[in-house]
Amino acid sequence: MRGTRNFLWGALSVAFAVLVTLSFVQGTVWAATPSAGFLKRQGPAPPGANEPGCHPSPRHPEPVVLVPGTFESMAQNWAKLSPELAARGYCVYSLNYGVTAAGYSTGPIQQSASELRSFVNHVLRLTGARKVDIVGHSQGGMMPRYYIKFLGGAKKVDDLVALTPSNHGTKNPGAFTTGLLGCVACRQQMWGSPFLRRLNSGDETPGGVSYTVITTRYDDVVVPYTSAFLKGPASRVSNITIQDYYPLDTSDHLLIPYDERAYTFIFDALSHPGPARP
């Protein structure tokens, strides 16, 4: 009887060990395998974005990652551009980041850049691509530069196309008044902030990344609008003021992500090596 009990306990122990091992292996595989669940956890996506089955084509080998601005969700910020990119054959992905009680994209920008790094790594695993193109608005056009400069993004980003980015901050004291008290990223985007001084020290456009900046004279958030511009070689940097090409365009900071004229520069930048060449 004792031998039978010992046999049963031994069999149960072996079975339990096998189950634990299988569970661990399955868990490891699940964690290492890109899944649609990761994309769903980002929240509601704009039309055409975050389709896990999308495979980049030879014509558009780099997936496009859309990065929203301060207080903006990806679904709101990219409601128009995302489906237009998808219709042109791009694999489009987007994320919400830096979410705090103050709203979307309000957390410390260094932490948001780490979230972007994780998201890009996932997109690369999911698609099998070597690099991504990033299109960002406001903070979403500036924050990826931290990822590129300090977190290894220079090897994983082909193009950074930025709409009215806060690259050197704003001198407008009322730009972020609505959420300044609880918004760390707002303080970091003020002119002369320690964060921006570190970001812009030395090389502003590191790596082999192509940088396209698209801004408007009517920007009432990033003031002066020229603070969006980046220093770098003409072969890799293009600073564009939309009114130089469309004098009657009156888009401001919040409207430019929906501006078809601004899209011409985005599509140009994504269609060939190097930045946009208007």
Side-chain angles (χ1 to χ4, degrees):
M1 187 69 177
R2 180 179 299 174
T4 302
R5 284 200 301 269
N6 290 340
F7 173 81
L8 290 175
W9 278 114
L12 287 172
S13 299
V14 171
F16 178 76
V18 170
L19 287 173
V20 169
T21 301
L22 287 175
S23 297
F24 175 79
V25 171
Q26 289 174 349
T28 302
V29 171
W30 181 88
T33 304
S35 67
F38 182 91
L39 297 175
K40 289 180 179 178
R41 288 195 295 273
Q42 300 301 316
N50 292 359
E51 298 293 337
C54 188
H55 299 287
S57 66
R59 184 180 178 187
H60 303 305
E62 288 89 24
V64 179
V65 176
L66 302 177
V67 185
T70 311
F71 301 126
E72 296 175 304
S73 70
M74 59 174 167
Q76 166 211 341
N77 212 164
W78 305 116
K80 185 175 181 181
L81 179 59
S82 177
E84 292 210 21
L85 285 169
R88 289 171 175 259
Y90 290 93
C91 287
V92 183
Y93 297 89
S94 192
L95 75 160
N96 292 319
Y97 65 89
V99 182
T100 72
Y104 291 107
S105 315
T106 55
I109 297 175
Q110 301 93 321
Q111 181 176 326
S112 295
S114 294
E115 294 178 37
L116 176 63
R117 175 180 59 183
S118 297
F119 187 80
V120 168
N121 287 341
H122 181 87
V123 169
L124 293 177
R125 290 196 301 268
L126 187 67
T127 60
R130 293 180 57 251
K131 293 185 177 183
V132 300
D133 292 328
I134 294 178
V135 178
H137 175 228
S138 192
Q139 182 192 163
M142 174 272 291
M143 178 269 283
R145 292 179 52 226
Y146 190 93
Y147 161 55
I148 291 169
K149 189 169 185 175
F150 299 114
L151 302 179
K155 296 180 179 179
K156 298 181 180 181
V157 178
D158 185 47
D159 276 275
L160 172 58
V161 184
L163 297 168
T164 58
S166 51
N167 282 325
H168 296 91
T170 179
K171 291 184 177 180
N172 178 4
F176 301 110
T177 302
T178 55
L180 192 56
L181 292 178
C183 174
V184 176
C186 296
R187 296 191 292 274
Q188 291 179 307
Q189 291 176 89
M190 300 306 292
W191 186 278
S193 73
F195 171 82
L196 288 176
R197 287 201 302 269
R198 179 174 184 237
L199 177 64
N200 294 314
S201 64
D203 191 355
E204 292 188 356
T205 54
V209 180
S210 298
Y211 298 83
T212 297
V213 173
I214 305 166
T215 190
T216 169
R217 290 193 177 95
Y218 298 101
D219 195 331
D220 51 355
V221 174
V222 176
V223 178
Y225 72 90
T226 52
S227 71
F229 293 157
L230 292 171
K231 298 175 183 177
S235 60
R236 292 194 298 105
V237 181
S238 185
N239 292 308
I240 299 167
T241 302
I242 197 168
Q243 285 79 20
D244 289 345
Y245 303 91
Y246 301 101
L248 300 182
D249 191 297
T250 58
S251 292
D252 61 8
H253 187 86
L254 295 178
L255 290 180
I256 201 168
Y258 312 98
D259 188 342
E260 290 281 354
R261 299 174 189 88
Y263 292 179
T264 63
F265 306 116
I266 296 174
F267 298 148
D268 179 58
L270 299 180
S271 66
H272 59 76
R277 299 296 180 206

